[in-house]
Amino acid sequence: MYYQALVNKKHRYQEKMFVDRELIVAKDIDEENIEIEKKTYEAYISLKDFVYEEKGYELGLDSAYRSLSYQQEIYERFVSDYGEEYARGVVAPVGASEHHTGLAIDFSIKKNGKFTADNYELMKDVIRYQEIVPYLSLFGFILRYPKGREEITGYPYEPWHIRYVGVELATKLYQENLTLEEYYQSLSGVLVVNKEKGMTSRDVVNLVSQYFYTKKVGHTGTLDPLAEGVLVVPIGKATRISEYLTATYKEYIATFQLGLLTDTLDSTGKVLEKSDVLDDVDMNTVLKSFQKTYLQEVPIYSAVKVGGKKLYEYAREGKMIVLPKKEVTIKEIELMDEENGTFTFRCVVSKGCYIRSLIRDIGESLGTYATMLSLKRTKQGEFSIQQANSLNDIRNGNISIFSIKDALSIYLQISVDEALEKKVRNGVKLENIYEAEGICILLNSKGETLAIYQAENEVLIPLKVLYSAND
């Protein structure tokens, strides 16, 4: 259930995003049964009680969940009551209404002992509706169609139409005076995902792209379907800083079996060779011997290109090819568990290291075979598994996204004044008055990451400008 879903004329309602939605029955202002999403209703009741205590206003539900067919009925009724031109301006087309989600509410404030659902009458009492706006975010609601944002939302000002998005996002939108459309248009940052087994890294990217309404999504460091764990997913402008997010080491926990060799070097492949399990192997000592820098042969089932072609394409065609070797560093490696010829270890390795290949090499050092059974990435650079969002977190909107500034916190960060900001936006070299060394991050007075610079002696040279003079 995705509580932060964007539904409008451009982004139509998608049933698959609400497959686990729980609708409950409530009473509207006419004491008729209506349906509403459960969590939204609970938040509404809390808002209703709070407003009554604070302002003495009694709130009532006018409308909540609407089926596609009911939305069509409403449109036709508005055409009959107000005319087609008015209906087109205020009633969402079928499939473009937030009410399909069950997260949107049209409410009314009781006046002179009664509620009204008439738009003209509601607008006569607009001041009382406006008084409620500061309280909405406390309970996870936003004013969905605010005044002055008609061209952005696609709908006229409706002081009675509120939408549940969760307290965290509602607070952000209220404090920064953003509509839901503006939030997604400006969204940039780094999402750390706990990838599940059986999914490709591309599957995760596609899911994030769908839920955040942008094609500007990438990932830093592929995880095979067999593997799970930390996948760093940059969004928006953060896709331009991928190489700075993965420049450091990665940590894994892996399990392998001795005496087994497959064509993929893991348990998903075709068995090529078997041998007896070795007795009395001092695996801890063996692993420690690999704490070094060495040339590692890339596995044939990988996306590394040779002659303009990915290695796994050669493998699928059954073609023999000389596999390239790359220098890798095993910074840390330690045995965690062993049982019946299977071993689990933790390692910290440099970029480009294949754990499948490392396990193969461990087997060869013992004069036998070794194949990976499972793999979990627990850390990539500064991002750990404890910070990762599960796929359910993403679906439910319970997510934590690193700003570009925070994602690059390992580098020196320099704040510039307005005059220097203009130069940075234009990619101008700067005098190194900050005694910076290596890579540094330049921020404006608002804390926004403007650019990544490289210090070379007395000069700062632009490497990446994220916000240009045209932004």
Side-chain angles (χ1 to χ4, degrees):
M1 175 66 191
Y2 190 47
Y3 288 99
Q4 299 179 347
L6 175 65
V7 177
N8 57 26
K9 294 174 183 177
K10 293 181 179 179
H11 300 280
R12 298 301 177 105
Y13 170 73
Q14 298 182 59
E15 185 71 32
K16 63 184 178 181
M17 297 177 73
F18 300 91
V19 291
D20 56 349
R21 171 182 55 199
E22 183 178 356
L23 294 174
I24 62 173
V25 176
K27 294 292 185 181
D28 68 8
I29 57 178
D30 297 317
E31 291 300 312
E32 299 286 340
N33 288 340
I34 61 171
E35 290 184 295
I36 184 171
E37 193 274 329
K38 182 180 179 181
K39 194 171 181 179
T40 303
Y41 181 69
E42 293 170 350
Y44 164 73
I45 292 300
S46 297
L47 170 67
K48 178 182 178 180
D49 293 343
F50 181 86
V51 169
Y52 188 77
E53 289 292 326
E54 288 292 315
K55 308 295 295 186
Y57 298 159
E58 186 175 346
L59 307 186
L61 288 174
D62 174 31
S63 182
Y65 169 74
R66 298 176 191 165
S67 65
L68 299 177
S69 58
Y70 184 50
Q71 184 69 17
Q72 183 62 36
E73 290 178 23
I74 293 175
Y75 178 78
E76 292 172 356
R77 187 168 72 241
F78 266 72
V79 171
S80 176
D81 292 346
Y82 303 104
E84 189 168 354
E85 184 177 352
Y86 180 81
R88 282 201 307 267
V90 301
V91 181
V94 174
S97 172
E98 284 201 322
H99 287 287
H100 296 320
T101 68
L103 306 176
I105 294 173
D106 288 341
F107 72 97
S108 180
I109 301 176
K110 184 175 282 189
K111 183 179 181 180
N112 299 325
K114 66 178 183 179
F115 291 109
T116 181
D118 182 84
N119 284 14
Y120 289 127
E121 289 299 318
L122 289 170
M123 289 303 289
K124 291 179 182 179
D125 208 24
V126 69
I127 292 178
R128 292 205 300 172
Y129 287 86
Q130 291 173 337
E131 291 176 1
I132 296 174
V133 172
Y135 306 133
L136 295 178
S137 63
L138 301 177
F139 304 93
F141 290 100
I142 60 172
L143 182 64
R144 187 62 182 90
Y145 305 128
K147 194 171 186 179
R149 306 296 178 86
E150 291 84 356
E151 290 187 5
I152 296 170
T153 64
Y155 294 101
Y157 172 45
E158 290 188 355
W160 55 83
H161 183 109
I162 61 175
R163 160 68 192 281
Y164 184 77
V165 296
V167 173
E168 184 176 347
L169 180 58
T171 301
K172 177 181 177 65
L173 297 183
Y174 178 68
Q175 291 177 344
E176 299 183 15
N177 193 26
L178 296 173
T179 63
L180 201 55
E181 283 83 2
E182 290 170 313
Y183 167 71
Y184 282 116
Q185 288 168 6
S186 64
L187 184 63
S188 288
V190 175
L191 180 69
V192 183
V193 179
N194 187 357
K195 188 188 89 64
E196 299 173 357
K197 288 182 180 178
M199 296 186 73
T200 66
S201 299
R202 173 49 57 181
D203 290 336
V204 174
V205 168
N206 290 343
L207 179 67
V208 173
S209 180
Q210 176 188 16
Y211 277 76
F212 291 95
Y213 308 97
T214 178
K215 294 181 179 179
K216 291 183 178 181
V217 179
H219 68 78
T220 58
T222 300
L223 279 177
D224 295 331
L226 172 67
E228 60 183 320
V230 173
L231 185 69
V232 179
V233 179
I235 302 170
K237 290 184 181 292
T239 56
R240 301 186 60 199
I241 64 168
S242 294
E243 64 265 42
Y244 302 101
L245 300 173
T246 60
T248 52
Y249 288 88
K250 303 174 185 179
E251 180 184 74
Y252 295 90
I253 294 176
T255 299
F256 68 91
Q257 179 179 339
L258 277 182
L260 178 68
L261 176 67
T262 70
D263 57 353
T264 59
L265 303 184
D266 62 39
S267 59
T268 66
K270 178 182 177 181
V271 175
L272 300 178
E273 300 286 350
K274 286 185 176 182
S275 65
D276 294 334
V277 176
L278 300 175
D279 294 326
D280 300 325
V281 175
D282 183 2
M283 188 57 72
N284 195 49
T285 300
V286 174
L287 293 180
K288 288 299 181 183
S289 71
F290 277 87
Q291 193 164 301
K292 60 184 179 181
T293 297
Y294 77 107
L295 286 177
Q296 182 185 82
E297 184 179 85
V298 174
I300 192 166
Y301 278 92
S302 66
V304 173
K305 287 187 176 181
V306 173
K309 196 172 181 178
K310 294 178 180 178
L311 285 177
Y312 66 74
E313 294 175 324
Y314 290 108
R316 290 170 181 172
E317 294 170 1
K319 294 182 178 179
M320 300 296 293
I321 187 171
V322 176
L323 298 175
K325 292 185 177 182
K326 292 186 176 182
E327 184 177 271
V328 298
T329 297
I330 315 302
K331 185 179 181 182
E332 298 176 19
I333 188 166
E334 61 178 347
L335 182 66
M336 297 179 68
D337 192 25
E338 61 178 291
E339 183 179 358
N340 299 325
T342 64
F343 303 85
T344 299
F345 67 94
R346 182 192 72 89
C347 62
V348 178
V349 302
S350 63
K351 181 179 179 181
C353 179
Y354 285 88
I355 306 302
R356 288 176 290 151
S357 296
L358 172 60
I359 288 171
R360 174 203 59 206
D361 297 342
I362 291 170
E364 289 181 352
S365 74
L366 292 168
T368 186
Y369 310 113
T371 290
M372 186 174 76
L373 301 181
S374 67
L375 180 66
K376 184 173 186 178
R377 185 154 66 199
T378 52
K379 194 171 184 181
Q380 182 174 8
E382 297 299 304
F383 306 106
S384 68
I385 193 71
Q386 289 77 20
Q387 299 167 312
N389 300 271
S390 71
L391 297 182
N392 279 335
D393 289 335
I394 297 171
R395 293 186 184 102
N396 293 327
N398 300 321
I399 55 173
S400 176
I401 299 179
F402 289 90
S403 67
I404 295 177
K405 172 186 174 182
D406 290 340
L408 297 173
S409 61
I410 63 171
Y411 300 107
L412 173 66
Q413 300 193 352
I414 300 169
S415 295
V416 297
D417 58 24
E418 189 173 339
L420 280 179
E421 179 178 346
K422 292 180 180 179
K423 293 184 177 181
V424 172
R425 286 178 177 268
N426 283 293
V428 176
K429 293 181 181 180
L430 303 177
E431 183 181 354
N432 186 7
I433 60 174
Y434 313 97
E435 298 183 357
E437 297 180 1
I439 293 172
C440 54
I441 311 302
L442 271 59
L443 314 170
N444 63 12
S445 59
K446 297 178 182 178
E448 296 171 325
T449 303
L450 299 173
I452 301 173
Y453 271 63
Q454 172 78 43
E456 293 188 6
N457 299 321
E458 305 301 319
V459 180
L460 297 181
I461 299 173
L463 299 177
K464 295 271 187 179
V465 177
L466 303 181
Y467 287 90
S468 69
N470 296 323
D471 291 327

